[in-house]
Every structure is written in C-alpha cells, then in structure tokens.
C-alpha cells in the first residue's frame, strides 16, 4: 500500500485517537488485519491439528521525497 503522509485534521476523530497523519491510520489497519488473519489461522490450525506455522511480516514504509 502506498499512502501520502497527509496530516489529519486537528479536530478529527483520527487525531483524537493519536494519528497525526493518514499513513499511521493505514499502518494500524494493516496491523489489525494481520493480527485478525493470524488469529483466525491459528484457530483453524488448532482445530485441524496441523503442524503449520503462519507468520505475517509488516514491511517498514519509506517516504519518497521529490526535490522541487
């Protein structure tokens, strides 16, 4: 996912929740989705008694700066 680090409005719910820019919101959504998938897979594996380990890696994001 590519997201520009647009600043959240100071009066927004996102800012009140501690997100200074929309990149941070995207990162949190990916983190939560990954956690949910991981938990669902672990539950499925436990139920099926498979010997599989499921892992998720979140790749750090980079900011592209274009000189003017």
């Amino acid at each position: 996912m590519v997201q520009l680090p647009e600043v959240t409005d100071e009066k927004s719910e996102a800012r009140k929740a501690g997100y200074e820019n929309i990149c941070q919101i995207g990162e949190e959504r990916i983190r939560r989705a990954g956690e949910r998938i991981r938990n669902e897979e672990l539950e499925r594996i436990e139920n099926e008694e498979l010997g599989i380990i499921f892992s998720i890696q979140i790749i750090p994001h980079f900011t592209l700066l274009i000189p003017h």
Side-chain angles (χ1 to χ4, degrees):
M1 178 171 97
V2 175
Q3 180 66 59
L4 297 175
E6 183 178 333
V7 177
T8 56
D9 187 278
E10 291 184 18
K11 297 177 183 177
S12 70
E13 291 298 317
R15 180 62 70 93
K16 291 175 187 174
Y19 301 109
E20 294 179 13
N21 62 57
I22 57 176
C23 288
Q24 293 173 332
I25 297 168
E27 290 171 356
E28 182 62 24
R29 292 177 80 182
I30 291 169
R31 199 174 356 269
R32 289 180 186 188
E35 182 69 23
R36 190 180 78 232
I37 291 168
R38 180 180 174 274
N39 290 338
E40 289 171 0
E41 283 298 306
L42 289 175
E43 184 177 313
R44 184 186 66 80
I45 289 169
E46 288 174 0
N47 290 339
E48 295 179 7
E49 296 182 2
L50 297 175
I52 300 171
I53 297 174
F54 185 81
S55 68
I56 297 173
Q57 291 182 330
I58 296 179
I59 300 170
H61 72 280
F62 297 92
T63 302
L64 176 62
L65 300 175
I66 302 173
H68 296 278

